[in-house]
Amino acid sequence: MARVPFPDWSRLIGIPVQIRQYGTAIRSGVVDDVMPDSSMLWLMADSAHGRTLFHAAEDYEAWIELELLEAHHLLQVAAPISV
């Protein structure tokens, strides 16, 4: 699947992304949290890295596979979490 840049970070919580800066891949991971205005994004900690913050103002971009975003949102609609 091809990756594309996705500037609306507010829709990416729980989605696997690749973070790029100036066209170079920096890190891949799952989005843990974002600022509502898409100015900052946190990737979850994994076995190689701690939880990491990326700022859009520092020219970081989140690249995604659109199919994963669509599948994630369909799953949320199909199985809503009840409290």
Side-chain angles (χ1 to χ4, degrees):
M1 290 183 243
R3 289 189 174 113
V4 296
F6 198 83
D8 185 3
W9 291 0
S10 66
R11 297 182 53 205
L12 297 179
I13 296 173
I15 302 294
V17 299
Q18 181 183 71
I19 300 297
R20 296 184 189 187
Q21 186 181 40
Y22 308 119
T24 301
I26 303 296
R27 181 167 168 210
S28 294
V30 176
V31 176
D32 186 27
D33 204 359
V34 298
M35 293 297 294
D37 65 357
S38 297
S39 61
M40 292 184 272
L41 172 150
W42 287 263
L43 286 188
M44 290 182 186
D46 59 27
S47 60
H49 303 93
R51 186 174 190 247
T52 308
L53 174 64
F54 296 94
H55 297 262
E58 294 175 354
D59 294 313
Y60 288 106
E61 297 178 309
W63 287 62
I64 66 166
E65 296 174 2
L66 286 177
E67 295 83 1
L68 293 178
L69 180 66
E70 292 167 5
H72 178 78
H73 288 293
L74 286 174
L75 179 61
Q76 288 179 330
V77 171
I81 299 173
S82 59
V83 182

